[in-house]
Every structure is written in C-alpha cells, then in structure tokens.
Amino acid sequence: MTIQVSYFFLGILTAILGAIPLGAVNIAVITTAVKENNKEASRITLSAGIGEVLLAFFALHFGLELSTFFQENIWIQVIFIMLFFTIGLYFLILNKPRKIRSKYDAPKVLHSKFLTGFSLALLNPPVIIYWILAVSLINKYAFELTSQNSLTTLLFFFSGIYLGKTGTLYFYGKWGNKMAQRQKNSQGKIFKTIGIALLIIAILQSIKLIII
C-alpha cells in the first residue's frame, strides 16, 4: 500500500507541475470565474481533470507512437500556436464584458462547460507532449511506470493526476474571481494579462518549433 500511495502523490505532483503554466484550460477557468462564478468554473475544472487523466493514459500506453505522430505532423502544433495567438489578441484588444446568463440558460451552460473543459484538456498537443516526457522521466528517475503496473497502482496514480489537475485549476478560478471582486477595473486587467500571456505562449511555442 505504501508504494501505491507514493504513486498517488507522484501523480498529484506531476499534474500540478503540468497545470501551473498558463494554458487553454486555465484561461477558460479564469474567464468563467470572472464573467460568471466559481460554480460554473468548477464544471470546466472537473471535466478537464478527466481529459488530463486520458492524456496521461495515452502517454503511458502510446507514448512513442504519439511522439512520432506530432513530430511528423507539425501542422497540428502550428494550428494550436495560431489559436493561442488569435485568442490572445481577442482578450488583449477585442474582448468586451458580456451579460451574465439568466437562470433559464442553466442546462445549456452545464452542458457547454463540461464539454469545454473536457475538449480543451484532451485536444491539447503541448500537454500530451508534457505527459510523454513526464512518464519517461518518472521511469528514469523515480518509479517504474508502464502499462504493466498493477491496476491498483495505476488507479492510485491516475487518481493523483485528477486531484492535482482539478486542485490547481480550482485555485486559478478562485484567484480570478477574487481579482475581479477586488476593484471595478480588475476584469479588464485580468483579460489583458491573459491576452499577453497567450501571446507569449504562442511566441515561445513558435520559437521552440523553429529551433527543433
């Protein structure tokens, strides 16, 4: 049981390290917390955790194949760089506050938030690359982590990943909501900060792609 608990905490730590850098899911959680509330942001958080677990699962089982696929299909990474750049410009220049949805829109919001969180987490090449690298480093410097591990061990590890991802996103949502409540113009400042961060991410990813 002790070794399995170690895998659990390893999953938490690895997920937190991957979730701290500002990315598409983090942005969605922050903006939802600012524009709507923490409850709506939590729907994105919970579904994003599921997407993160699936990415880790794919990296564990098909790491080499996925790595080769992304190396041979650079256009996928280019599309995501363009998306980050476009969304960054939107938040920096074009974004305007929207009216809060009425309570009668709740079923539609519930559906869209879960779908948004899951899709943003799952359809994310930089994150799958992170998990391929993370699994490789864990195998090299920490514990043996392969698809041959016992089911109980893998369940502990993936549970840790889910907790680490959702916990980190939860604090991002709380931070966004607290900043928005601090003063009237905080919402605009947060959106500008997000826009700048996304542009920086797009530029860094472009440089990385050119160098590699």
Side-chain angles (χ1 to χ4, degrees):
M1 181 61 72
T2 303
I3 189 67
Q4 291 166 341
V5 172
S6 299
Y7 276 95
F8 175 72
F9 284 107
L10 183 63
I12 292 176
L13 178 61
T14 311
I16 290 175
L17 291 176
I20 286 177
L22 206 60
V25 181
N26 308 59
I27 301 299
V29 169
I30 294 172
T31 53
T32 301
V34 171
K35 287 185 174 183
E36 299 179 45
N37 52 58
N38 283 327
K39 184 178 180 180
E40 296 302 330
S42 68
R43 303 188 196 284
I44 297 178
T45 296
L46 294 174
S47 56
I50 298 173
E52 192 80 6
V53 169
L54 286 177
L55 285 185
F57 175 83
F58 292 148
L60 186 63
H61 286 266
F62 312 107
L64 183 60
E65 293 87 345
L66 288 171
S67 180
T68 303
F69 175 78
F70 285 120
Q71 288 176 4
E72 294 177 350
N73 295 273
I74 302 298
W75 60 271
I76 298 176
Q77 297 185 55
V78 172
I79 288 176
F80 270 83
I81 290 172
M82 292 173 63
L83 282 174
F84 275 121
F85 192 81
T86 303
I87 297 172
L89 286 178
Y90 171 77
F91 277 108
L92 195 61
I93 302 171
L94 302 176
N95 188 67
K96 294 180 181 179
R98 297 177 182 176
K99 293 180 180 179
I100 298 175
R101 296 175 185 264
S102 70
K103 62 182 180 180
Y104 300 106
D105 294 328
K108 184 177 179 181
V109 172
L110 175 65
H111 173 72
S112 64
K113 292 296 183 290
F114 273 105
L115 184 60
T116 297
F118 181 76
S119 58
L120 286 177
L122 189 62
L123 305 176
N124 199 332
V127 177
I128 186 63
I129 292 172
Y130 166 78
W131 277 110
I132 292 171
L133 179 62
V135 169
S136 175
L137 291 176
I138 288 171
N139 270 301
K140 187 173 182 180
Y141 297 107
F143 301 102
E144 181 183 0
L145 183 62
T146 69
S147 56
Q148 303 304 314
N149 285 91
S150 69
L151 180 60
T152 306
T153 298
L154 292 178
L155 284 175
F156 268 86
F157 180 68
F158 290 132
S159 296
I161 291 173
Y162 186 82
L163 184 60
K165 179 69 172 183
T166 55
T168 305
L169 291 179
Y170 171 79
F171 283 110
Y172 263 109
K174 293 286 286 185
W175 172 80
N177 192 266
K178 186 175 292 186
M179 288 296 292
Q181 292 176 354
R182 188 164 293 178
Q183 52 180 299
K184 271 188 175 181
N185 295 326
S186 285
Q187 189 179 84
K189 290 180 180 179
I190 290 173
F191 290 156
K192 285 183 180 179
T193 302
I194 290 172
I196 293 171
L198 284 172
L199 291 177
I200 292 174
I201 291 173
I203 292 170
L204 291 177
Q205 288 293 328
S206 299
I207 293 172
K208 179 181 175 182
L209 202 60
I210 293 171
I211 292 176
I212 294 177

